[in-house]
Amino acid sequence: MTTELIEYQSYHDQLHKSRSFNWVLVRDLLRFLRKSKFRKSLIVSQYGYKLVDQYFSKLDPQEGWDLLEQVIVCCLDCNQIEKAQTLLNRLVAKFTTNSVRVKRLIGMLYECQGLIQEAINVYQTILQEYPSDSMSMKRQISIYKSQGIHNRAIQLLNTYLQIYMCDFEAWLELASIHINLLSYKSALFCYEEIILNAPINYLFYVKYAEISYSLGGADNFILALKYYTHSLELNSPLDYPEQDHPPTNLPSIYGIIMSIYSFCESSHGGVNKLKDSQVNLMEWAQKQLLDITNQYTPDKKDIVSAFIKLTDIPKKSTTPKDVEQQQPTIEK
Amino acid sequence: MIEQPIVLDVAIRNWVVIPILLVLFVVSALKMNFTKIMQIQSDRKQDLQKTMEMQTVARTRKLTAYYNRIPQQGFLMRKAYFTNKETGILTYNEPPQEENNPMDALMQASLMNDSSGMTDMLKGNVVHLIPQISMMTWVNHFFSGFVACKLPFFPLTIRFKSFLQRGIELSSLDVSYVSSLSWYFLCWFGSEGINAILLGENIPSMDQQLFQSQVDQGPPNQQVPIHKVYNSERENIDMIRYESLMDNVEERFLNNLTKKTTITDFSKVSSPSSSSSSSSSVQSKNKVPKRR
């Protein structure tokens, strides 16, 4: 990812350095953006429009039309409807409105103009002809989401996911809608699916733990704790001193402290039901939090230590053996 | 024996060597454009049913691989969804008349597997094979037995004789002489790169190929009927004995932490050999739950 960023940066610098319009450079940039899927709409709509407007004859014919499509989408992103309209007219003249890709662009233009119903109609006609056109489905879903019609969006996403069930970005979308509607149980299900699809991305474990914590209840606090801990395993706190950026695992550390604290406060939980390892983990997290604060933001130290004091748990009283048996486990 | 150079007629150069080269070039140019037309016409309509099946299989494979990362409840939910006897989506209704008539089953299998892939393959073969065969017969018919040219520079071993002098059965002829049929083959194999440059088969088309290869993912064996794949996946899921990765994650995490810090301490203080041996023993102990 970082190498791609560097590559983009070099393109960006070259563009700004060159005085005259360097069409080869712009073409390469657009090519690169298509491949890396970065969303740099403003720059594309600026330079790309000039490219397809004045240098179209120099482009490879096959690629030229792809470029045209790309520039149109970026113009729509930047609300430059007239530019998009003129370019789209050229596409329509070439491919007529029978082409699915042209139709989709027309739909997007309608969306941009605020003609929602027309846009939906366009997408529906596409879907009648090509029922597996995932792009049109996604556009429809995003329309409903932007309109705030969450029920319909969820419904459509569900049908979409019945077909494309490995598209974890769609699952992410569904999860975010569910979180908006506070239905955390469904969001958890979505995140389980995401974890199955991307099992080594620690961010999703953090997110899963956050949702589980939000659900509340002693069992869910422990579940959250476990997932926070696992995210730390994947994003090890021992690695960061060698990296040149601040640690990225603070959410997990705060999460561990909060979930253990909440577990002790909840009605079914309590300090005595904690495992020894969990208590140790709490101590470690508190220490780690203080260390990080000292290292990176010493001025926030008061706040952090106040937080730790507030969320501190009392010492365990009973012998650990009894506790082990009472321990509420999530796997019943 | 002193080799006497054979003098090749100039007419052979003008009427055999150069025409073969030219015709090959023209044919490959035509072929390229023809495949392009074919590609445009064969817009593969992605079948909804089929995408769904492919995605289902991919999803079940992910579930069997990473089930230990989700809680038991979630796993059981999915297991029920996939493998339930009545409603599970992996219980595919097998075609009933499969045993009665093998031809029927065959037909059904071919129908299920959507013949567009086959026709595409056929088209590709037609485009490549027909010109090849016709050219070969053309060369064979008109120029059989010609010694077309002589390879310069270096002598070749006798083994190349069958390769370079196809169509001429003369044991005394030097190996560096090339027969017309072999000249055709040489040009055919050698011209691909040059054609690619001359006919402008450049980056965008490569992009397209890449794109297509990304789209066409799926279960490796298209020929296996889907209910068999489903059955094996169902068995795979049924066989899983659930075991969570999260069972004692806290302990494992803390152990790993202390282990790593002690290793770094060790390596600072003592010799590397002792630290490595101790660390490997600890590691092997700790890795066991992680793997499963």
Side-chain angles (χ1 to χ4, degrees), chain A residues 298-315:
Chain A
D299 51 320
K300 302 267 174 21
K301 204 181 163 194
D302 292 342
I303 306 173
V304 172
S305 46
F307 165 76
I308 288 175
K309 205 185 245 173
L310 192 72
T311 56
D312 204 8
I313 49 172
K315 284 247 156 21

Side-chain angles (χ1 to χ4, degrees), chain A residues 11-23:
Chain A
Y11 275 121
H12 195 262
D13 292 344
Q14 281 177 41
L15 263 187
H16 281 279
K17 251 185 253 163
S18 63
R19 298 237 173 93
S20 60
F21 189 79
N22 185 351
W23 70 271

Side-chain angles (χ1 to χ4, degrees), chain A residues 180-191:
Chain A
N180 274 341
L181 299 177
L182 304 184
S183 49
Y184 293 125
K185 274 246 160 73
S186 317
L188 267 190
F189 183 88
C190 297
Y191 266 96

Side-chain angles (χ1 to χ4, degrees), chain B residues 146-159:
Chain B
F146 277 77
V147 174
C149 57
K150 183 177 186 294
L151 288 183
F153 313 131
F154 48 84
L156 289 164
T157 54
I158 198 82
R159 281 174 188 278

Side-chain angles (χ1 to χ4, degrees), chain B residues 19-285:
Chain B
I20 288 177
L21 202 63
L22 269 180
V23 167
L24 255 172
F25 179 74
V26 170
V27 165
S28 59
L30 282 178
K31 209 162 67 182
M32 223 163 249
N33 286 325
F34 201 62
T35 35
K36 251 183 205 167
I37 293 167
M38 289 293 228
Q39 263 175 7
I40 290 163
Q41 278 178 347
S42 76
D43 61 319
R44 272 189 173 183
K45 251 192 203 176
Q46 269 199 324
D47 191 11
L48 208 61
Q49 184 69 28
K50 200 165 180 213
T51 1
M52 202 168 139
E53 281 162 3
M54 267 155 56
Q55 296 260 331
T56 310
V57 172
R59 189 177 171 198
T60 51
R61 287 199 180 141
K62 273 171 187 152
L63 181 66
T64 42
Y66 305 117
Y67 69 92
N68 55 5
R69 283 163 172 77
I70 60 173
Q72 187 169 26
Q73 198 194 357
F75 170 69
L76 290 179
M77 255 155 83
R78 282 173 179 75
K79 187 174 171 182
Y81 173 66
F82 283 126
T83 66
N84 189 301
K85 284 256 159 54
E86 276 108 41
T87 56
I89 57 169
L90 288 185
T91 40
Y92 197 89
N93 322 355
E94 291 177 28
Q97 67 270 66
E98 197 174 19
E99 299 112 338
N100 304 349
N101 190 348
M103 271 314 278
D104 266 7
L106 208 73
M107 284 296 289
Q108 212 141 30
S110 70
L111 276 179
M112 248 190 304
N113 286 324
D114 176 31
S115 51
S116 77
M118 293 243 265
T119 46
D120 271 13
M121 219 157 69
L122 197 74
K123 274 179 198 167
N125 278 346
V126 165
V127 167
H128 285 289
L129 273 181
I130 285 185
Q132 208 171 291
I133 292 169
S134 55
M135 294 264 295
M136 248 179 73
T137 40
W138 172 66
V139 171
N140 223 358
H141 191 261
F142 285 99
F143 308 123
S144 64
F146 277 77
V147 174
C149 57
K150 183 177 186 294
L151 288 183
F153 313 131
F154 48 84
L156 289 164
T157 54
I158 198 82
R159 281 174 188 278
F160 281 92
K161 206 170 177 72
S162 63
F163 174 61
L164 287 177
Q165 292 174 4
R166 193 155 284 249
I168 301 174
E169 313 291 335
L170 266 181
S171 53
S172 59
L173 193 65
D174 190 83
V175 187
S176 58
Y177 288 99
V178 182
S179 75
S180 59
L181 198 60
S182 297
W183 172 244
Y184 162 72
F185 278 118
L186 282 181
C187 292
W188 178 46
F189 289 125
S191 66
E192 268 173 22
I194 299 170
N195 284 341
I197 295 168
L198 287 180
L199 301 173
E201 189 80 341
N202 47 17
I203 302 160
S205 66
M206 284 290 284
D207 248 8
Q208 265 179 355
Q209 276 173 9
L210 202 78
F211 178 68
Q212 274 173 356
S213 69
Q214 276 171 349
V215 170
D216 297 343
Q217 283 171 351
N221 291 330
Q222 294 289 316
Q223 302 308 320
V224 179
I226 194 72
H227 64 267
K228 277 190 186 153
V229 182
Y230 273 10
N231 271 339
S232 72
E233 291 299 326
R234 199 177 66 218
E235 277 163 20
N236 281 345
I237 293 181
D238 272 334
M239 283 210 293
I240 293 172
R241 260 186 69 233
Y242 180 78
E243 206 168 295
S244 179
L245 191 65
M246 310 295 165
D247 270 349
N248 41 18
V249 63
E250 303 95 346
E251 218 172 316
R252 190 173 69 223
F253 173 65
L254 287 176
N255 278 346
N256 275 343
L257 271 189
T258 49
K259 181 195 75 191
K260 274 184 191 164
T261 43
T262 48
I263 287 171
T264 44
D265 290 348
F266 260 131
S267 58
K268 274 174 199 161
V269 182
S270 67
S271 66
S273 63
S274 67
S275 78
S276 69
S277 66
S278 74
S279 78
S280 66
S281 68
V282 179
Q283 224 163 19
S284 60
K285 217 191 255 170

Side-chain angles (χ1 to χ4, degrees), chain A residues 235-253:
Chain A
N235 182 24
S236 174
L238 292 173
D239 293 341
Y240 75 81
E242 287 110 57
Q243 293 159 0
D244 47 359
H245 57 80
T248 51
N249 50 25
L250 271 179
S252 313
I253 294 171

Side-chain angles (χ1 to χ4, degrees), chain A residues 167-179:
Chain A
D167 183 352
F168 78 87
E169 279 153 346
W171 284 108
L172 270 174
E173 197 66 35
L174 186 59
S176 87
I177 297 176
H178 277 308
I179 291 171

